[in-house]
Amino acid sequence: MGNRISKTVAAISESPTLAMDARAKALKAEGENVIGFGAGEPDFPTPQYIVEAAARASNVPTYHRYTPAAGLPDLRSAIAAKTKRDSGFDVPADHVLVTNGGKHALFNTFLTLLDPGDEVIIPAPYWVSYPEMVRIAGGRPVGVTTTEETGFRATIEQLDAAVTERTKVVVFVSPSNPTGAVYPPNEVREIGRWALSRGLWVVTDEIYEHLVYGDARFSSIVVEVPELADRAIVINGVAKTYAMTGWRVGWMIGPRDVIAGATSLQSHSTSNVANVAQAAALAAVSGGLEEADRMREAFDRRRRTIHKLLNEIPEVTCIEPEGAFYAFPSFKGLLGRDIAGSRVESTDELAEVILDKARVAIVPGEGFGAPGYARLSYALSDEDLLEGVNRIGDLLSG
Ligand code: PLP
């Protein structure tokens, strides 16, 4: 008798961000006043013109049907045009595959690129899904630890030390989830040139391209190093820019052979993304960025507040996040101490105590490959943000 569950699936760990979010929501459902810093999604509704486009489409019978597996032709063209507008990367529409969110674009990408045992370099702290997806695709994730000293940005020396003859891909994420780090253009260029010289593929996750603050500037690795285009996959989507996490529309952009392979794969798994959701995404990417700018201003204000407040808590330090909507403070100074009557040895335990005693949900760093840290999303209302960090501060200083 074999195992009931395959080894591949049994080896997957539950997403800690979703797990923490689920616990916080369950407590809320029981009537508890919980403040959640866990979710990775904007707290704004989707802009009205996008919702209206979807409502109109839902009344048209053609939108009740399948589309080509790779997506509505108009949407693929609009994504190509939007990419040229926003990052300067110029690609034809048949280099675009519309997927069920950025997550699905990454999943398709790893399954399309990796053979068993191929290694994928992933700078840590990393978004939790990358290593799991690489494993599911038969590859081997190789973490490269970055620290506050370099602003959580990987250096060429660190990346180069991780290369073996099995290395095929390097994952590049800027702005970063969970650290909020943004690589300046010269570092993006250096990493791109290094990947090119090493003959590696680059998977560049640009989902937070519009969420950069202060002097930080987003730049696309395939624009900084155009020769990389034949060995690079750009991941993006509407979720974070247009507050559309629930609509599930993302895309991958890559060379024609990879997109053709990934399209075949998708044609046997999910087929096309929901047709009405594609109509919504078409309105989003064809429209302006005014609403995105408005949301970014709110995130920027909250970013400055959370950065200041976290650093005021004794033994907590937090570098200034420059992008996305996450702060990634260190709680190392508190480990090994008694907090509210419990001895706390890890950020996993600390997050439990903070949820139990202060009714605040944060995501411990262990799942991001960064024990001693935690991720706090600042995509929540200004009032909740203030109240939540104050509760943590009171608990930890009490
Ligand atoms: N990439 C990064 C870095 C993310 O943080 C997320 C979402 O949290 C995604 C990709 C996937 O976004 P979605 O699948 O909602 O489009």
Side-chain angles (χ1 to χ4, degrees):
M1 285 264 275
N3 298 324
R4 282 169 60 83
I5 308 275
S6 72
K7 290 195 180 71
T8 306
V9 169
I12 301 170
S13 42
E14 186 186 10
S15 158
T17 54
L18 295 185
M20 183 48 94
D21 201 43
R23 278 201 59 193
K25 282 184 177 144
L27 281 170
K28 266 188 200 162
E30 286 166 20
E32 295 286 342
N33 173 2
V34 177
I35 295 186
F37 288 95
E41 58 183 343
D43 57 319
F44 300 103
T46 301
Q48 194 56 28
Y49 71 95
I50 300 173
V51 175
E52 280 164 13
R56 278 194 304 276
S58 66
N59 276 312
V60 180
T62 45
Y63 286 95
H64 305 166
R65 310 275 177 248
Y66 294 126
T67 77
L72 288 170
D74 284 357
L75 177 57
R76 296 174 78 195
S77 300
I79 289 168
K82 164 252 166 284
T83 305
K84 175 111 183 359
R85 176 193 70 184
D86 294 349
S87 77
F89 187 41
D90 197 354
V91 284
D94 64 350
H95 286 226
V96 178
L97 168 59
V98 181
T99 60
N100 282 279
K103 216 173 223 180
H104 185 215
L106 285 158
F107 201 77
N108 280 344
T109 297
F110 291 127
L111 276 174
T112 304
L113 290 182
L114 299 180
D115 280 318
D118 282 346
E119 293 180 2
V120 178
I121 296 178
I122 307 176
Y126 42 70
W127 182 47
V128 293
S129 292
Y130 299 127
E132 296 299 348
M133 289 187 195
V134 167
R135 280 190 201 101
I136 292 166
R140 211 172 80 76
V142 177
V144 165
T145 302
T146 70
T147 61
E148 288 110 321
E149 282 73 58
T150 60
F152 290 117
R153 300 191 305 275
T155 64
I156 299 293
E157 292 69 34
Q158 288 172 324
L159 294 170
D160 209 50
V163 173
T164 72
E165 75 258 12
R166 292 308 311 263
T167 310
K168 180 161 184 186
V169 177
V170 58
V171 173
F172 183 72
V173 195
S174 173
S176 154
N177 173 7
T179 65
V182 180
Y183 288 71
N186 65 313
E187 291 182 24
V188 176
R189 207 155 41 239
E190 265 178 29
I191 290 176
R193 287 191 183 138
W194 165 81
L196 191 69
S197 73
R198 285 296 210 159
L200 302 180
W201 286 77
V202 177
V203 173
T204 173
D205 188 336
E206 304 189 346
I207 202 139
Y208 294 103
E209 64 181 332
H210 290 295
L211 293 174
V212 289
Y213 314 104
D215 295 332
R217 189 154 74 76
F218 166 76
S219 60
S220 176
I221 198 162
V222 281
V223 175
E224 294 298 332
V225 184
E227 306 90 312
L228 257 187
D230 192 45
R231 280 179 177 271
I233 311 296
V234 178
I235 305 295
N236 209 330
V238 292
K240 317 286 175 174
T241 303
Y242 304 99
M244 289 179 71
T245 45
W247 297 80
R248 311 309 304 138
V249 185
W251 53 86
M252 55 185 283
I253 302 176
R256 210 169 262 124
D257 55 345
V258 177
I259 294 301
T263 304
S264 298
L265 169 68
Q266 181 162 308
S267 74
H268 294 294
S269 52
T270 58
S271 298
N272 64 273
V273 173
N275 202 337
V276 169
Q278 290 192 66
L282 178 59
V285 298
S286 319
L289 289 166
E290 298 77 15
E291 298 270 358
D293 287 342
R294 207 176 43 76
M295 290 188 260
R296 184 184 46 221
E297 275 168 32
F299 292 140
D300 190 14
R301 185 177 66 240
R302 299 167 187 174
R303 171 185 78 104
R304 282 181 270 121
T305 308
I306 200 168
H307 174 241
K308 176 171 163 290
L309 291 180
L310 284 169
N311 278 306
E312 284 171 7
I313 303 174
E315 306 295 346
V316 176
T317 56
C318 183
I319 66 163
E320 187 178 348
E322 298 187 309
F325 37 62
Y326 308 103
F328 202 66
S330 165
F331 290 93
K332 286 180 193 162
L334 290 160
L335 301 183
R337 296 200 184 171
D338 279 345
I339 293 169
S342 312
R343 190 161 185 84
V344 165
E345 301 288 357
S346 68
T347 26
D348 266 339
E349 290 173 8
L350 181 67
E352 291 281 333
V353 172
I354 291 175
L355 185 60
D356 284 348
K357 306 283 192 223
R359 290 293 189 242
V360 176
I362 64 173
V363 189
E366 280 81 353
F368 302 108
Y373 298 84
R375 190 189 77 174
L376 283 79
S377 160
Y378 47 86
L380 74 176
S381 74
D382 297 69
E383 301 74 49
D384 280 359
L385 187 152
L386 213 60
E387 164 77 16
V389 184
N390 284 338
R391 283 193 204 172
I392 298 175
D394 289 347
L395 179 78
L396 299 184
S397 344

